[in-house]
Amino acid sequence: MNPFLETLLDTPLDDTYRGVPPGEATVALRAVATRQWQPRSGNMALPVLTMDEAAFAHNVEQIFGYVRSHGAALAPHAKTPMSPQIVQRLLDAGAWGATVANLQQAAVLLRAGVRRLMLGNEIGGAASGARLGKLLAAYPDARMLMFADSADSVRSLAAAAGHAGRPVEVLVEVGGGRAGARDDAAVEAILEAVAAQGGKLALAGVATYEGAVATSDPAVTARQIAALMERAARAFQQVRALAPQAPLVFTAGGSAFFDQVTQAAKPLLAQDGNALLVLRSGAIFFHDHGTYERALRAMDARSGFEIDGQARHAAADFRPALRLWGEVLSRPEPGLAICGFGMRDVSYDQDLPVPLAAFRDGAPLPGWDPEGRVTRLNDQHAFLAISPDSALAPGDVVEFGISHPCTCLDRWRVFFGLDAEGRVQSAYRTFFG
């Protein structure tokens, strides 16, 4: 095991971490299962964020089965958990590499032993180029593919190459709605800028991100993704003309529209014969009870999830893995319960948390109101609307599903993996900076 990961597992968990009971004796990350904590029993400090280990493993199996059957590869976006332990699990499962959003994330994963990365973003100007160059120089055995969408970003990467003492690999980013070259002329300007750097840069392929052109209208979204993929295909052919023998990467694919990316790219890459489609899906491993649940239902409506030629039901095949556990603090009004968590603890940019179950003394609460819903959040309070005659009382523990894993996990320094009995079997450190 990489020394960084080995040391990470020896991280002492104490009650400065959410979830660890106050006054609990320090326990190493690797030994957390010995404590037999169980959120629903109230023997953890609440709120706490957990991951269903079986659901996570099942999701890994599903998405890797998909990419294998389509001749693609995965470089999961590590920004979702920013946990070297999770990234290593995905590499062990067969990931091609990992994707990061910035240099801090790259530094964390390089230190953890990851040696094939994509930085799914432009880096900025010459100062950022110097920082990248210093990072690359520190890890001469690492391969890092970098996005460029303008001559300016090319010059920044050339500055990095100068500091690193070796060429930097460039992915021409084609985009819409966010970053990325907007037309063929912009792609040509990038390629001319790369050629002008006198060997400091090497063309590695083309990148895009289809989620940036999505709308609330499925038909419009499909047209815009198709148009984006057509532009990316033309850019790929422009790159291929300048790098006729090089093995190239064509990369796209978040966790909502990877089926459309795969189908659009397949003919291009089959004709080329020396390129690899690399999907960057990251949230799919955690799934959710909101935004990605809807996205996979939409994928099923277009019959997009297919493994080994067989149509599958993505909304059923993937399982939400994350849970937020909160304790009822107050029943100030008949139809209201106040739970002890808020915006500091859970995502709310896409949807509010969804109550799933309630427990009293570790057992399911009789008469739990399935229609209860969170109506709003304060910093540390959740407002749960319930039936006026609900039995829910202060001290009861409520299990919530979340929406949008990326903006939930980043609130936690540690999240806990649960076994089939709902007991903590593992703990994962995050490194969001």
Side-chain angles (χ1 to χ4, degrees), residues 364-378:
L365 180 66
W368 162 248
D369 179 8
E371 300 303 319
R373 65 186 181 91
V374 175
T375 59
R376 62 189 177 102
L377 299 174
N378 290 161

Side-chain angles (χ1 to χ4, degrees), residues 251-294:
T251 179
S255 296
F257 307 103
F258 58 82
D259 60 317
Q260 292 172 279
V261 165
T262 301
Q263 292 305 318
K266 191 175 291 187
L268 169 72
L269 302 186
Q271 182 180 21
D272 182 84
N274 192 23
L276 179 66
L277 172 62
V278 180
L279 301 178
R280 305 194 301 276
S281 313
I284 193 71
F285 299 99
F286 301 92
H287 194 35
D288 68 11
H289 285 89
T291 185
Y292 286 109
E293 181 183 35
R294 292 190 297 274

Side-chain angles (χ1 to χ4, degrees), residues 1-14 17 25-32 35 84-85 414 426-429 431:
M1 182 181 290
N2 173 270
F4 178 85
L5 288 173
E6 192 70 37
T7 301
L8 179 59
L9 293 176
D10 289 325
T11 299
L13 294 182
D14 58 28
Y17 290 89
T26 298
V27 60
L29 204 72
R30 68 170 80 244
V32 70
R35 298 302 167 90
Q85 297 158 270
V414 169
S426 50
Y428 298 92
R429 277 277 283 115
F431 290 81

